[in-house]
Coordinates of all heavy atoms in Angstrom, one line a residue:
M14 N 31.5 -95.2 26.3 CA 30.8 -94.2 27.0 C 30.1 -93.3 26.1 O 30.6 -93.0 25.0 CB 31.8 -93.3 27.8 CG 32.3 -93.9 29.1 SD 33.1 -92.6 30.0 CE 32.8 -93.1 31.6
T15 N 28.9 -92.8 26.5 CA 28.1 -91.9 25.7 C 28.4 -90.5 26.1 O 28.5 -90.2 27.3 CB 26.6 -92.2 25.9 OG1 26.4 -93.6 25.7 CG2 25.8 -91.4 25.0
N16 N 28.6 -89.7 25.1 CA 28.9 -88.2 25.4 C 27.5 -87.5 25.3 O 27.0 -87.2 24.2 CB 29.8 -87.7 24.3 CG 30.4 -86.3 24.7 OD1 29.8 -85.7 25.6 ND2 31.4 -85.9 24.0
Y17 N 27.0 -87.2 26.5 CA 25.7 -86.5 26.5 C 25.7 -85.1 26.1 O 24.7 -84.5 25.6 CB 25.1 -86.6 28.0 CG 24.8 -88.0 28.4 CD1 25.6 -88.6 29.3 CD2 23.7 -88.6 27.8 CE1 25.3 -89.9 29.7 CE2 23.4 -89.9 28.2 CZ 24.2 -90.6 29.1 OH 23.9 -91.8 29.5
G18 N 26.9 -84.4 26.1 CA 27.0 -83.1 25.7 C 26.8 -82.9 24.2 O 26.2 -82.0 23.7
D19 N 27.3 -83.9 23.4 CA 27.1 -83.9 22.0 C 25.6 -84.0 21.6 O 25.1 -83.4 20.7 CB 27.9 -85.0 21.3 CG 29.4 -84.7 21.3 OD1 29.8 -83.5 21.6 OD2 30.2 -85.6 21.2
E20 N 25.0 -84.9 22.3 CA 23.5 -85.1 22.1 C 22.7 -83.8 22.4 O 21.8 -83.5 21.6 CB 23.0 -86.3 22.9 CG 23.5 -87.6 22.5 CD 23.1 -88.7 23.4 OE1 22.2 -88.5 24.3 OE2 23.7 -89.8 23.3
A21 N 23.1 -83.1 23.4 CA 22.4 -81.9 23.8 C 22.6 -80.8 22.7 O 21.7 -80.1 22.3 CB 22.8 -81.4 25.2
V22 N 23.9 -80.7 22.2 CA 24.2 -79.8 21.2 C 23.4 -80.1 19.9 O 22.8 -79.2 19.3 CB 25.7 -79.7 20.9 CG1 26.0 -78.9 19.7 CG2 26.4 -79.1 22.1
A23 N 23.3 -81.4 19.6 CA 22.6 -81.8 18.4 C 21.1 -81.4 18.5 O 20.5 -81.0 17.5 CB 22.8 -83.2 18.1
R24 N 20.6 -81.7 19.7 CA 19.1 -81.4 19.9 C 18.9 -79.9 19.8 O 17.9 -79.4 19.2 CB 18.7 -81.9 21.2 CG 18.2 -83.3 21.2 CD 17.6 -83.8 22.5 NE 18.7 -84.4 23.2 CZ 18.9 -84.2 24.5 NH1 18.1 -83.5 25.2 NH2 20.0 -84.8 25.1
A25 N 19.8 -79.1 20.4 CA 19.7 -77.6 20.3 C 19.8 -77.1 18.9 O 19.0 -76.2 18.5 CB 20.7 -77.0 21.2
Q26 N 20.7 -77.6 18.1 CA 20.8 -77.2 16.7 C 19.6 -77.6 15.9 O 19.1 -76.9 15.1 CB 22.1 -77.8 16.1 CG 23.3 -77.2 16.6 CD 24.6 -78.0 16.0 OE1 24.5 -79.0 15.5 NE2 25.7 -77.3 16.2
G27 N 19.0 -78.8 16.2 CA 17.8 -79.2 15.5 C 16.6 -78.3 15.8 O 15.8 -78.0 15.0
A28 N 16.5 -77.9 17.1 CA 15.5 -77.0 17.5 C 15.6 -75.6 16.9 O 14.6 -75.0 16.5 CB 15.5 -76.9 19.0
Q29 N 16.9 -75.2 16.7 CA 17.1 -73.9 16.0 C 16.7 -74.0 14.6 O 16.1 -73.0 14.0 CB 18.5 -73.5 16.1 CG 18.9 -73.0 17.5 CD 20.4 -72.7 17.6 OE1 21.2 -73.1 16.7 NE2 20.8 -72.0 18.7
K30 N 17.0 -75.1 13.9 CA 16.6 -75.2 12.5 C 15.1 -75.3 12.4 O 14.5 -74.7 11.4 CB 17.2 -76.5 11.9 CG 18.7 -76.4 11.7 CD 19.3 -77.7 11.1 CE 20.8 -77.6 10.9 NZ 21.4 -78.8 10.4
Q31 N 14.4 -75.9 13.3 CA 13.0 -76.0 13.2 C 12.3 -74.6 13.4 O 11.4 -74.2 12.8 CB 12.4 -77.0 14.2 CG 12.7 -78.4 13.9 CD 12.2 -79.4 14.9 OE1 11.8 -79.0 16.1 NE2 12.1 -80.7 14.6
A32 N 12.9 -73.9 14.4 CA 12.4 -72.5 14.6 C 12.6 -71.6 13.4 O 11.7 -70.8 13.1 CB 13.1 -71.9 15.9
A33 N 13.7 -71.7 12.8 CA 14.0 -70.9 11.6 C 13.0 -71.3 10.5 O 12.5 -70.4 9.8 CB 15.5 -71.1 11.1
A34 N 12.8 -72.6 10.3 CA 11.8 -73.0 9.3 C 10.4 -72.5 9.6 O 9.7 -72.1 8.7 CB 11.8 -74.6 9.2
R35 N 10.0 -72.5 10.8 CA 8.7 -72.0 11.2 C 8.6 -70.5 10.9 O 7.6 -70.0 10.4 CB 8.4 -72.3 12.7 CG 7.9 -73.7 12.9 CD 7.3 -73.8 14.3 NE 8.3 -73.5 15.4 CZ 9.1 -74.4 16.0 NH1 9.0 -75.6 15.6 NH2 9.9 -74.0 16.9
G36 N 9.7 -69.8 11.2 CA 9.7 -68.3 10.9 C 9.6 -68.1 9.4 O 8.9 -67.2 9.0
R37 N 10.3 -68.8 8.6 CA 10.2 -68.7 7.1 C 8.8 -69.0 6.6 O 8.3 -68.3 5.8 CB 11.3 -69.5 6.4 CG 12.7 -69.0 6.5 CD 13.6 -69.7 5.5 NE 13.7 -71.2 5.8 CZ 14.5 -71.7 6.7 NH1 15.3 -71.0 7.3 NH2 14.5 -73.0 6.8
A38 N 8.2 -70.1 7.2 CA 6.9 -70.5 6.7 C 5.9 -69.4 7.1 O 5.0 -69.1 6.3 CB 6.5 -71.8 7.4
Q39 N 6.0 -68.8 8.3 CA 5.1 -67.7 8.7 C 5.3 -66.5 7.8 O 4.3 -65.9 7.4 CB 5.3 -67.4 10.2 CG 4.3 -66.4 10.7 CD 4.6 -66.0 12.1 OE1 5.6 -66.4 12.7 NE2 3.6 -65.3 12.7
G40 N 6.5 -66.2 7.4 CA 6.7 -65.1 6.5 C 6.1 -65.3 5.2 O 5.5 -64.4 4.6
L41 N 6.2 -66.5 4.7 CA 5.6 -66.8 3.4 C 4.1 -66.7 3.5 O 3.4 -66.3 2.6 CB 6.0 -68.2 2.9 CG 7.4 -68.4 2.3 CD1 7.7 -69.8 2.1 CD2 7.5 -67.6 1.0
E42 N 3.5 -67.2 4.6 CA 2.1 -67.1 4.8 C 1.6 -65.7 4.8 O 0.6 -65.4 4.1 CB 1.7 -67.8 6.1 CG 0.2 -67.8 6.4 CD -0.1 -68.5 7.7 OE1 0.7 -69.3 8.2 OE2 -1.1 -68.1 8.3
V43 N 2.3 -64.8 5.4 CA 1.9 -63.4 5.5 C 2.0 -62.8 4.1 O 1.2 -62.0 3.6 CB 2.8 -62.6 6.5 CG1 2.6 -61.1 6.4 CG2 2.4 -63.1 7.9
G44 N 3.1 -63.1 3.4 CA 3.3 -62.6 2.0 C 2.2 -63.0 1.1 O 1.7 -62.2 0.3
W45 N 1.8 -64.3 1.1 CA 0.7 -64.7 0.2 C -0.6 -64.1 0.6 O -1.4 -63.8 -0.2 CB 0.6 -66.2 0.2 CG 1.7 -66.9 -0.7 CD1 2.7 -67.6 -0.3 CD2 1.7 -66.8 -2.1 NE1 3.4 -68.0 -1.3 CE2 2.9 -67.6 -2.5 CE3 1.0 -66.2 -3.1 CZ2 3.2 -67.7 -3.8 CZ3 1.3 -66.4 -4.4 CH2 2.4 -67.1 -4.8
T46 N -0.8 -63.9 1.9 CA -2.0 -63.2 2.3 C -2.1 -61.8 1.8 O -3.1 -61.4 1.3 CB -2.1 -63.3 3.9 OG1 -2.0 -64.6 4.3 CG2 -3.4 -62.6 4.4
V47 N -1.0 -61.1 1.9 CA -1.0 -59.7 1.4 C -1.2 -59.7 -0.1 O -2.0 -58.9 -0.6 CB 0.4 -59.0 1.8 CG1 0.6 -57.7 1.0 CG2 0.5 -58.8 3.3
F48 N -0.6 -60.5 -0.8 CA -0.7 -60.6 -2.2 C -2.2 -60.9 -2.6 O -2.7 -60.3 -3.5 CB 0.2 -61.7 -2.8 CG 0.2 -61.9 -4.3 CD1 0.6 -60.8 -5.1 CD2 -0.3 -63.0 -4.9 CE1 0.6 -61.0 -6.5 CE2 -0.3 -63.2 -6.2 CZ 0.1 -62.2 -7.0
S49 N -2.8 -61.8 -1.9 CA -4.2 -62.2 -2.3 C -5.1 -61.0 -1.9 O -6.1 -60.8 -2.7 CB -4.6 -63.5 -1.5 OG -4.6 -63.3 -0.1
Y50 N -4.9 -60.3 -0.9 CA -5.7 -59.1 -0.5 C -5.6 -58.1 -1.7 O -6.6 -57.5 -2.1 CB -5.3 -58.5 0.8 CG -5.7 -59.2 2.0 CD1 -5.1 -59.0 3.2 CD2 -6.8 -60.1 2.0 CE1 -5.5 -59.7 4.4 CE2 -7.2 -60.8 3.1 CZ -6.5 -60.6 4.3 OH -6.9 -61.3 5.4
L51 N -4.4 -57.9 -2.2 CA -4.2 -56.9 -3.2 C -5.0 -57.3 -4.5 O -5.7 -56.5 -5.1 CB -2.7 -56.7 -3.5 CG -1.9 -56.0 -2.5 CD1 -0.4 -56.0 -2.9 CD2 -2.4 -54.5 -2.3
L52 N -4.8 -58.6 -4.9 CA -5.5 -59.0 -6.1 C -7.0 -59.0 -5.9 O -7.7 -58.6 -6.8 CB -5.0 -60.4 -6.4 CG -3.6 -60.5 -7.0 CD1 -3.3 -62.0 -7.4 CD2 -3.5 -59.7 -8.3
A53 N -7.5 -59.5 -4.8 CA -8.9 -59.5 -4.5 C -9.5 -58.2 -4.5 O -10.6 -58.0 -5.1 CB -9.2 -60.3 -3.2
G54 N -8.9 -57.2 -3.9 CA -9.4 -55.8 -3.9 C -9.5 -55.2 -5.3 O -10.5 -54.6 -5.7
M55 N -8.4 -55.5 -6.1 CA -8.5 -54.9 -7.5 C -9.5 -55.6 -8.3 O -10.2 -55.0 -9.1 CB -7.1 -55.1 -8.1 CG -6.0 -54.1 -7.6 SD -4.4 -54.4 -8.3 CE -4.7 -54.0 -10.0
A56 N -9.6 -56.9 -8.1 CA -10.6 -57.7 -8.9 C -12.1 -57.3 -8.5 O -12.9 -57.1 -9.4 CB -10.4 -59.2 -8.7
A57 N -12.3 -57.2 -7.2 CA -13.7 -56.9 -6.8 C -14.1 -55.5 -7.2 O -15.2 -55.4 -7.9 CB -13.8 -57.1 -5.3
Y58 N -13.3 -54.5 -6.9 CA -13.7 -53.2 -7.2 C -13.6 -52.9 -8.7 O -14.3 -52.1 -9.3 CB -12.9 -52.1 -6.4 CG -13.5 -52.1 -5.0 CD1 -13.0 -52.9 -4.0 CD2 -14.5 -51.3 -4.7 CE1 -13.5 -52.8 -2.7 CE2 -15.1 -51.2 -3.4 CZ -14.5 -52.0 -2.4 OH -15.1 -52.0 -1.2
G59 N -12.6 -53.5 -9.4 CA -12.5 -53.4 -10.9 C -13.8 -54.0 -11.5 O -14.3 -53.5 -12.5
G60 N -14.2 -55.2 -11.0 CA -15.4 -55.8 -11.5 C -16.7 -54.9 -11.3 O -17.5 -54.7 -12.2
I61 N -16.8 -54.3 -10.1 CA -17.9 -53.4 -9.9 C -17.8 -52.2 -10.8 O -18.8 -51.8 -11.4 CB -17.9 -53.0 -8.4 CG1 -18.2 -54.2 -7.5 CG2 -18.8 -51.8 -8.1 CD1 -18.0 -53.9 -6.0
G62 N -16.6 -51.6 -10.9 CA -16.4 -50.5 -11.8 C -16.8 -50.9 -13.3 O -17.4 -50.1 -14.0
W63 N -16.4 -52.1 -13.7 CA -16.7 -52.5 -15.1 C -18.2 -52.6 -15.3 O -18.7 -52.2 -16.3 CB -16.0 -53.8 -15.3 CG -16.2 -54.4 -16.7 CD1 -15.7 -54.0 -17.9 CD2 -17.1 -55.5 -17.0 NE1 -16.2 -54.7 -18.9 CE2 -17.1 -55.7 -18.4 CE3 -18.0 -56.3 -16.3 CZ2 -17.8 -56.6 -19.0 CZ3 -18.7 -57.2 -16.9 CH2 -18.6 -57.4 -18.3
L64 N -18.9 -53.2 -14.3 CA -20.3 -53.4 -14.4 C -21.0 -52.0 -14.5 O -21.9 -51.8 -15.3 CB -20.9 -54.2 -13.3 CG -20.6 -55.7 -13.3 CD1 -21.0 -56.4 -12.0 CD2 -21.2 -56.4 -14.5
I65 N -20.7 -51.1 -13.6 CA -21.3 -49.8 -13.6 C -20.9 -49.0 -14.8 O -21.8 -48.4 -15.4 CB -20.9 -49.0 -12.3 CG1 -21.5 -49.7 -11.1 CG2 -21.4 -47.6 -12.4 CD1 -21.1 -49.2 -9.7
G66 N -19.7 -49.1 -15.2 CA -19.2 -48.4 -16.4 C -19.9 -48.9 -17.7 O -20.2 -48.1 -18.6
R67 N -20.2 -50.2 -17.7 CA -20.9 -50.8 -18.9 C -22.3 -50.3 -18.9 O -22.9 -50.1 -19.9 CB -20.8 -52.3 -18.8 CG -21.3 -53.0 -20.0 CD -20.9 -54.5 -19.8 NE -21.7 -55.3 -20.7 CZ -21.3 -55.9 -21.8 NH1 -20.0 -55.8 -22.0 NH2 -22.1 -56.6 -22.5
A68 N -22.9 -50.2 -17.7 CA -24.3 -49.8 -17.6 C -24.5 -48.3 -18.0 O -25.5 -48.0 -18.6 CB -24.9 -50.1 -16.2
V69 N -23.6 -47.5 -17.6 CA -23.7 -46.1 -17.9 C -22.9 -45.6 -19.1 O -22.8 -44.4 -19.4 CB -23.4 -45.2 -16.6 CG1 -24.3 -45.5 -15.5 CG2 -21.9 -45.4 -16.2
H70 N -22.3 -46.5 -19.8 CA -21.5 -46.3 -21.0 C -20.3 -45.3 -20.7 O -20.1 -44.3 -21.4 CB -22.3 -45.7 -22.1 CG -23.5 -46.6 -22.5 ND1 -23.2 -47.8 -23.1 CD2 -24.8 -46.6 -22.3 CE1 -24.4 -48.4 -23.3 NE2 -25.4 -47.7 -22.8
F71 N -19.6 -45.6 -19.6 CA -18.5 -44.8 -19.2 C -17.3 -45.8 -18.8 O -17.2 -46.2 -17.7 CB -18.8 -43.9 -18.0 CG -17.8 -42.9 -17.7 CD1 -17.4 -41.9 -18.6 CD2 -17.1 -43.0 -16.5 CE1 -16.5 -41.0 -18.2 CE2 -16.1 -42.1 -16.2 CZ -15.8 -41.1 -17.0
P72 N -16.6 -46.3 -19.8 CA -15.6 -47.4 -19.6 C -14.4 -47.0 -18.7 O -13.7 -47.9 -18.2 CB -15.1 -47.7 -21.0 CG -15.4 -46.5 -21.8 CD -16.6 -45.9 -21.2
L73 N -14.3 -45.8 -18.4 CA -13.2 -45.3 -17.5 C -13.4 -45.8 -16.0 O -12.5 -45.8 -15.2 CB -13.0 -43.8 -17.6 CG -11.7 -43.2 -17.0 CD1 -10.5 -43.8 -17.7 CD2 -11.7 -41.7 -17.1
L74 N -14.6 -46.2 -15.7 CA -14.9 -46.7 -14.3 C -14.1 -48.0 -14.0 O -13.9 -48.2 -12.8 CB -16.4 -46.8 -14.1 CG -17.2 -45.5 -14.0 CD1 -18.6 -45.8 -13.7 CD2 -16.6 -44.7 -12.9
F75 N -13.8 -48.8 -15.0 CA -13.1 -50.0 -14.7 C -11.7 -49.7 -14.1 O -11.4 -50.2 -13.0 CB -13.0 -50.8 -16.0 CG -12.1 -52.0 -15.9 CD1 -12.4 -53.1 -15.0 CD2 -10.9 -52.1 -16.7 CE1 -11.6 -54.2 -14.9 CE2 -10.1 -53.2 -16.6 CZ -10.4 -54.3 -15.7
P76 N -10.8 -48.9 -14.8 CA -9.5 -48.7 -14.1 C -9.6 -47.9 -12.8 O -8.8 -48.1 -11.9 CB -8.7 -47.9 -15.2 CG -9.7 -47.5 -16.2 CD -10.9 -48.4 -16.1
I77 N -10.6 -47.0 -12.8 CA -10.8 -46.2 -11.5 C -11.2 -47.2 -10.4 O -10.7 -47.1 -9.3 CB -11.9 -45.1 -11.7 CG1 -11.4 -44.0 -12.6 CG2 -12.3 -44.6 -10.4 CD1 -12.4 -43.0 -13.0
G78 N -12.1 -48.1 -10.7 CA -12.5 -49.1 -9.7 C -11.3 -50.0 -9.3 O -11.2 -50.3 -8.1
M79 N -10.4 -50.3 -10.2 CA -9.2 -51.1 -9.8 C -8.3 -50.3 -8.9 O -7.8 -50.9 -7.9 CB -8.5 -51.6 -11.1 CG -9.2 -52.6 -11.9 SD -8.3 -53.2 -13.2 CE -7.1 -54.2 -12.4
L80 N -8.2 -49.0 -9.2 CA -7.3 -48.2 -8.3 C -7.9 -48.0 -6.9 O -7.2 -48.0 -5.9 CB -7.0 -46.9 -9.0 CG -6.1 -46.9 -10.2 CD1 -6.0 -45.5 -10.9 CD2 -4.8 -47.4 -9.8
V81 N -9.3 -47.8 -6.9 CA -9.9 -47.7 -5.6 C -9.8 -49.0 -4.8 O -9.5 -49.0 -3.6 CB -11.4 -47.3 -5.8 CG1 -12.2 -47.5 -4.6 CG2 -11.6 -45.9 -6.4
G82 N -10.0 -50.1 -5.5 CA -9.8 -51.4 -4.8 C -8.4 -51.6 -4.3 O -8.2 -52.2 -3.2
L83 N -7.4 -51.2 -5.1 CA -6.0 -51.3 -4.6 C -5.8 -50.4 -3.4 O -5.1 -50.8 -2.5 CB -5.1 -50.9 -5.8 CG -3.6 -50.9 -5.5 CD1 -3.1 -52.4 -5.2 CD2 -2.8 -50.3 -6.7
G84 N -6.3 -49.2 -3.4 CA -6.2 -48.3 -2.3 C -6.9 -48.9 -1.0 O -6.3 -48.8 0.1
I85 N -8.0 -49.4 -1.2 CA -8.7 -50.0 0.0 C -8.0 -51.2 0.5 O -7.8 -51.4 1.7 CB -10.2 -50.4 -0.4 CG1 -11.0 -49.1 -0.6 CG2 -10.8 -51.3 0.7 CD1 -12.4 -49.3 -1.2
S86 N -7.4 -52.0 -0.4 CA -6.7 -53.2 0.0 C -5.4 -52.8 0.8 O -5.1 -53.4 1.8 CB -6.3 -54.0 -1.2 OG -7.4 -54.6 -1.9
L87 N -4.7 -51.8 0.2 CA -3.5 -51.3 0.9 C -3.8 -50.8 2.3 O -3.1 -51.0 3.3 CB -2.8 -50.2 0.1 CG -2.0 -50.7 -1.1 CD1 -1.5 -49.5 -1.9 CD2 -0.9 -51.5 -0.6
G88 N -4.9 -50.0 2.4 CA -5.3 -49.5 3.7 C -5.6 -50.6 4.7 O -5.2 -50.6 5.9
Y89 N -6.3 -51.7 4.2 CA -6.6 -52.8 5.1 C -5.4 -53.6 5.5 O -5.2 -54.0 6.6 CB -7.6 -53.8 4.4 CG -8.0 -54.9 5.3 CD1 -8.7 -54.8 6.4 CD2 -7.5 -56.2 5.0 CE1 -9.1 -55.8 7.2 CE2 -7.8 -57.3 5.8 CZ -8.6 -57.1 6.9 OH -8.9 -58.2 7.7
I90 N -4.4 -53.7 4.6 CA -3.2 -54.4 4.9 C -2.4 -53.7 5.9 O -1.9 -54.2 6.9 CB -2.4 -54.6 3.6 CG1 -3.0 -55.7 2.7 CG2 -0.9 -55.0 3.9 CD1 -2.5 -55.7 1.3
I91 N -2.3 -52.4 5.7 CA -1.6 -51.5 6.7 C -2.3 -51.6 8.1 O -1.6 -51.7 9.1 CB -1.5 -50.1 6.2 CG1 -0.5 -50.0 5.0 CG2 -1.0 -49.1 7.3 CD1 -0.5 -48.7 4.3
H92 N -3.6 -51.6 8.1 CA -4.3 -51.6 9.3 C -4.1 -53.0 10.0 O -3.9 -53.0 11.2 CB -5.8 -51.4 9.0 CG -6.7 -51.7 10.2 ND1 -6.8 -50.8 11.3 CD2 -7.5 -52.7 10.6 CE1 -7.6 -51.3 12.2 NE2 -8.1 -52.4 11.8
R93 N -4.2 -54.0 9.3 CA -4.1 -55.4 9.9 C -2.7 -55.7 10.3 O -2.4 -56.1 11.4 CB -4.6 -56.4 8.9 CG -4.5 -57.8 9.5 CD -5.2 -58.8 8.6 NE -5.0 -60.1 9.2 CZ -5.3 -61.3 8.7 NH1 -5.8 -61.3 7.5 NH2 -5.0 -62.4 9.3
F94 N -1.7 -55.6 9.4 CA -0.4 -56.1 9.6 C 0.5 -55.0 10.3 O 1.4 -55.3 11.1 CB 0.3 -56.6 8.4 CG -0.4 -57.8 7.9 CD1 -1.2 -57.8 6.8 CD2 -0.2 -59.0 8.5 CE1 -1.8 -58.9 6.3 CE2 -0.8 -60.2 8.0 CZ -1.6 -60.1 7.0
G95 N 0.3 -53.7 10.0 CA 1.0 -52.7 10.7 C 0.7 -52.6 12.2 O 1.5 -52.4 13.0
R96 N -0.6 -52.8 12.4 CA -1.1 -52.8 13.8 C -0.5 -54.0 14.6 O -0.1 -53.8 15.8 CB -2.6 -52.9 13.8 CG -3.3 -52.6 15.0 CD -4.8 -52.5 14.7 NE -5.5 -52.6 15.9 CZ -6.7 -53.0 16.0 NH1 -7.4 -53.4 14.9 NH2 -7.4 -53.1 17.1
Q97 N -0.4 -55.1 14.0 CA 0.1 -56.3 14.6 C 1.6 -56.1 15.0 O 2.0 -56.4 16.1 CB 0.0 -57.5 13.7 CG 0.6 -58.8 14.2 CD 0.5 -59.9 13.2 OE1 0.1 -59.7 12.0 NE2 0.9 -61.1 13.5
Q98 N 2.4 -55.5 14.1 CA 3.8 -55.3 14.4 C 4.0 -54.2 15.4 O 4.9 -54.3 16.2 CB 4.6 -55.0 13.1 CG 4.5 -56.2 12.2 CD 5.7 -56.2 11.2 OE1 6.5 -55.3 11.2 NE2 5.8 -57.3 10.5
A99 N 3.2 -53.2 15.4 CA 3.3 -52.1 16.4 C 3.0 -52.7 17.8 O 3.6 -52.3 18.8 CB 2.3 -51.0 16.1
A100 N 2.0 -53.6 17.9 CA 1.7 -54.2 19.2 C 2.9 -55.0 19.7 O 3.1 -55.1 20.9 CB 0.4 -55.0 19.1
E101 N 3.6 -55.6 18.8 CA 4.7 -56.4 19.3 C 5.9 -55.6 19.8 O 6.6 -56.0 20.7 CB 5.3 -57.3 18.1 CG 4.3 -58.4 17.7 CD 4.8 -59.1 16.4 OE1 5.8 -58.7 15.9 OE2 4.1 -60.0 16.0
R102 N 6.0 -54.3 19.3 CA 7.1 -53.5 19.7 C 6.7 -52.5 20.8 O 7.6 -51.8 21.3 CB 7.6 -52.7 18.5 CG 8.4 -53.5 17.5 CD 8.9 -52.6 16.4 NE 8.0 -52.8 15.3 CZ 7.9 -52.0 14.3 NH1 8.7 -50.9 14.2 NH2 7.0 -52.1 13.3
A103 N 5.4 -52.4 21.1 CA 5.0 -51.4 22.1 C 5.5 -51.7 23.5 O 5.5 -52.8 23.9 CB 3.4 -51.4 22.1
P104 N 5.9 -50.6 24.1 CA 6.3 -50.8 25.5 C 5.1 -51.0 26.4 O 4.0 -50.7 26.1 CB 7.0 -49.5 25.9 CG 6.4 -48.5 24.9 CD 6.1 -49.3 23.7
G105 N 5.3 -51.6 27.5 CA 4.3 -51.8 28.5 C 4.3 -53.2 29.0 O 5.3 -53.9 28.9
P106 N 3.2 -53.6 29.7 CA 3.2 -55.0 30.2 C 3.3 -56.0 29.1 O 2.5 -56.0 28.2 CB 1.9 -55.0 31.0 CG 1.0 -53.9 30.4 CD 2.0 -52.9 29.9
Q107 N 4.3 -56.8 29.2 CA 4.4 -57.9 28.2 C 4.5 -59.2 28.9 O 4.8 -59.3 30.2 CB 5.7 -57.6 27.4 CG 5.7 -56.4 26.6 CD 7.0 -56.2 25.9 OE1 7.9 -56.9 26.0 NE2 7.0 -55.1 25.1
A108 N 4.4 -60.3 28.2 CA 4.5 -61.6 28.7 C 6.0 -61.8 29.2 O 6.9 -61.3 28.5 CB 4.1 -62.7 27.7
P109 N 6.2 -62.5 30.3 CA 7.5 -62.7 30.7 C 8.3 -63.6 29.7 O 7.8 -64.4 29.0 CB 7.4 -63.5 32.0 CG 6.0 -64.1 32.0 CD 5.2 -63.2 31.1
G110 N 9.6 -63.3 29.6 CA 10.5 -64.0 28.6 C 10.7 -65.4 29.1 O 10.2 -65.9 30.1
P111 N 11.6 -66.1 28.4 CA 11.9 -67.5 28.8 C 12.6 -67.5 30.1 O 13.4 -66.6 30.4 CB 12.8 -68.0 27.6 CG 13.3 -66.8 26.9 CD 12.3 -65.7 27.2
R112 N 12.4 -68.5 30.9 CA 13.0 -68.7 32.2 C 14.5 -69.0 32.0 O 14.8 -69.9 31.1 CB 12.3 -69.8 32.9 CG 11.5 -69.4 34.1 CD 10.9 -70.5 34.8 NE 12.0 -71.2 35.6 CZ 11.7 -72.4 36.2 NH1 10.6 -72.9 36.1 NH2 12.7 -72.9 36.9
K113 N 15.3 -68.4 32.7 CA 16.7 -68.7 32.7 C 17.0 -69.8 33.8 O 16.6 -69.6 34.9 CB 17.6 -67.5 32.9 CG 17.5 -66.5 31.7 CD 18.4 -65.4 31.9 CE 18.3 -64.4 30.7 NZ 19.2 -63.3 30.8
E114 N 17.7 -70.8 33.4 CA 18.1 -71.8 34.3 C 19.3 -71.4 35.1 O 20.3 -71.0 34.4 CB 18.3 -73.1 33.6 CG 18.5 -74.3 34.5 CD 18.5 -75.6 33.8 OE1 17.9 -75.7 32.7 OE2 19.2 -76.5 34.2
I115 N 19.3 -71.4 36.4 CA 20.4 -71.1 37.2 C 21.1 -72.4 37.6 O 20.5 -73.3 38.1 CB 20.0 -70.3 38.4 CG1 19.3 -69.0 38.0 CG2 21.2 -70.0 39.3 CD1 18.7 -68.2 39.1
T116 N 22.4 -72.4 37.2 CA 23.2 -73.6 37.6 C 24.4 -73.2 38.4 O 24.8 -72.0 38.4 CB 23.7 -74.3 36.3 OG1 24.4 -73.4 35.5 CG2 22.5 -74.8 35.5
G117 N 24.9 -74.1 39.1 CA 26.1 -73.8 39.9 C 25.7 -73.3 41.3 O 24.6 -73.1 41.7
D118 N 26.7 -72.9 42.1 CA 26.5 -72.4 43.4 C 26.5 -70.9 43.4 O 27.4 -70.2 43.1 CB 27.7 -72.8 44.3 CG 27.8 -74.3 44.5 OD1 26.8 -74.9 44.9 OD2 28.9 -74.9 44.2
R119 N 25.3 -70.4 43.7 CA 25.1 -69.0 43.7 C 24.3 -68.6 45.0 O 23.5 -69.1 45.4 CB 24.3 -68.5 42.5 CG 25.2 -68.7 41.3 CD 24.5 -68.1 40.1 NE 25.2 -68.5 38.9 CZ 25.2 -67.9 37.8 NH1 24.5 -66.8 37.7 NH2 25.8 -68.4 36.8

């Protein structure tokens, strides 16, 4: 005889492991995105500051440009990802949750 309960439990555990793996992968994706925004902002504005500082013979514009780029990047990250998480936690009309299966005599 085949025990169908064991198969269902094994499938449920497999689904939980897959969901956990997807959650970790999504977290890594967000982390690398944030890291790349920080580096790109510093590189872009640092480069602009370096070019302008070289043209006007004021080398202090390079680190100032890097700090400005870091600030702009942080602002964009907070705007993009902070807003996303606030929308997930906001009260109000939300999508219905998973359907609960009703079994037995009720």
Side-chain angles (χ1 to χ4, degrees):
M14 280 193 152
T15 305
N16 191 349
Y17 293 108
D19 290 341
E20 291 175 12
V22 169
R24 274 187 268 138
Q26 288 174 347
Q29 286 176 345
K30 287 180 182 179
Q31 287 177 349
R35 278 192 299 270
R37 283 191 302 272
Q39 185 179 11
L41 283 173
E42 181 181 332
V43 169
W45 281 111
T46 302
V47 167
F48 181 66
S49 66
Y50 284 159
L51 290 173
L52 286 181
M55 287 178 64
Y58 283 92
I61 291 169
W63 179 76
L64 288 172
I65 294 172
R67 189 173 162 107
V69 298
H70 303 289
F71 190 66
L73 194 60
L74 287 180
F75 172 64
I77 291 172
M79 289 185 74
L80 290 175
V81 167
L83 182 64
I85 290 172
S86 296
L87 283 173
Y89 180 70
I90 289 167
I91 291 170
H92 172 73
R93 179 172 177 189
F94 293 104
R96 193 171 165 206
Q97 177 184 4
Q98 295 204 356
E101 291 173 0
R102 287 184 263 164
Q107 296 178 357
R112 251 181 74 189
K113 292 186 179 181
E114 188 174 327
I115 299 174
T116 57
D118 297 305
R119 291 186 194 205

